[in-house]
Amino acid sequence: MKTFVAGLVALPFFLATVPEGLAESLTSDTVLRSLARTPGVATRSLKPSARALTAADADYLSRLPSRGLRIDMKDKLADIVERNDLPRLDIDIRFAYDSTEISARSRADLDALGVALLADSLIDARIAINGHTDAAGNDAYNLGLSERRAEAVKDYLTRHHGIDEERLIAVGFGERRLKNTTHPQAAENRRVEVVNLY
C-alpha cells in the first residue's frame, strides 16, 4: 500500500522529524520552531541552522516556479537545501491508497502548518513542499505520485488557509531521496518535507 508522508521539501538530512506516532500532536508552534531561520543557533541536530544563502542561491530559489520543476531544477534545489542546511520538517501526511485524497487525520497537521505559515516570522517565507515515496513500485509511477501529492498539500494550504500559491513550491522526488536507504520500503520514506527556502 502506497501512503504518502509529509515534510517543505526527501533529503537524507533533517532538522526536525515528527515521529509517526506523534503526527496527531503537531502544533503551529512546533512548525514555527522547526522552520525558524536563526543563523548560528544550534538545532536539535546540534548543527548551526540556516546559513546565509549566497546571492546566486538566493536568486535561483526566488526564480523557481511554484510547480512543474524539471529533474535538474529539483536536483539543484536539493543541493542548495543540503549545502545551506535550511530549516525543514517532515510531516506524516496520509493519503487514500493510490490517491491524492488527504486523510481526515492528516488535515489537522496541515491546519497547524497553515497557521504557522501565516505567522509573522514565516509570512514572507517561500516554502518547498517536497513529496517522497518509498521504493515499492516503479520509479516513474512513484515520481508522478509524489508530485501529485505535493500538489494536493499545496492546494489544501492555498484553499483552506489563503496562502499565496506563489509562496509554495510543490516538488515530487518519488523514491530518489530515501530517508531510510537501508530499508527502501520503510514507511518513513513516504513523507512530505516542508522546507523554509528564505
Side-chain angles (χ1 to χ4, degrees):
M1 176 173 160
K2 288 279 183 184
T3 306
F4 196 77
V5 183
L8 244 154
V9 163
L11 308 170
F13 37 87
F14 302 91
L15 296 182
T17 299
V18 177
E20 195 167 328
L22 299 179
E24 296 83 12
S25 65
L26 185 66
T27 66
S28 58
D29 286 341
T30 300
V31 174
L32 285 167
R33 282 192 307 274
S34 297
L35 297 181
R37 303 235 21 225
T38 51
V41 173
T43 64
R44 284 185 238 177
S45 66
L46 302 180
K47 297 187 293 187
S49 68
R51 298 179 198 99
L53 292 170
T54 66
D57 285 349
D59 181 59
Y60 182 81
L61 294 176
S62 72
R63 291 183 292 109
L64 280 176
S66 63
R67 56 183 76 208
L69 275 66
R70 299 182 316 266
I71 294 293
D72 62 310
M73 297 167 85
K74 293 176 186 184
D75 289 343
K76 185 163 183 176
L77 169 63
D79 176 62
I80 291 170
V81 170
E82 181 176 1
R83 275 189 294 105
N84 293 282
D85 197 20
L86 296 181
R88 53 196 161 259
L89 171 69
D90 273 352
I91 305 174
D92 179 11
I93 302 297
R94 301 288 176 163
F95 294 84
Y97 177 70
D98 196 28
S99 166
T100 60
E101 181 186 341
I102 299 168
S103 74
R105 177 187 140 217
S106 293
R107 290 185 201 128
D109 289 344
L110 288 181
D111 290 336
L113 175 60
V115 168
L117 294 181
L118 293 172
D120 289 344
S121 62
L122 292 177
I123 194 69
D124 294 323
R126 192 147 197 231
I127 304 296
I129 300 169
N130 299 332
H132 304 278
T133 66
D134 63 22
N138 138 342
D139 183 53
Y141 178 83
N142 286 340
L143 186 61
L145 182 61
S146 67
E147 190 82 40
R148 291 189 304 277
R149 288 178 169 177
E151 289 283 352
V153 169
K154 175 180 176 170
D155 291 344
Y156 183 92
L157 292 170
T158 58
R159 202 171 50 250
H160 294 279
H161 292 278
I163 296 169
D164 180 356
E165 72 174 277
E166 290 304 311
R167 287 183 59 202
L168 307 174
I169 302 173
V171 184
F173 285 101
E175 61 188 74
R176 297 181 68 223
R177 296 185 175 274
L178 297 174
K179 184 174 182 179
N180 184 341
T181 56
T182 304
H183 301 288
Q185 294 185 18
E188 65 191 295
N189 290 317
R190 302 185 300 263
R191 67 201 186 281
V192 172
E193 181 189 23
V194 179
V195 180
N196 182 356
L197 298 178
Y198 62 89

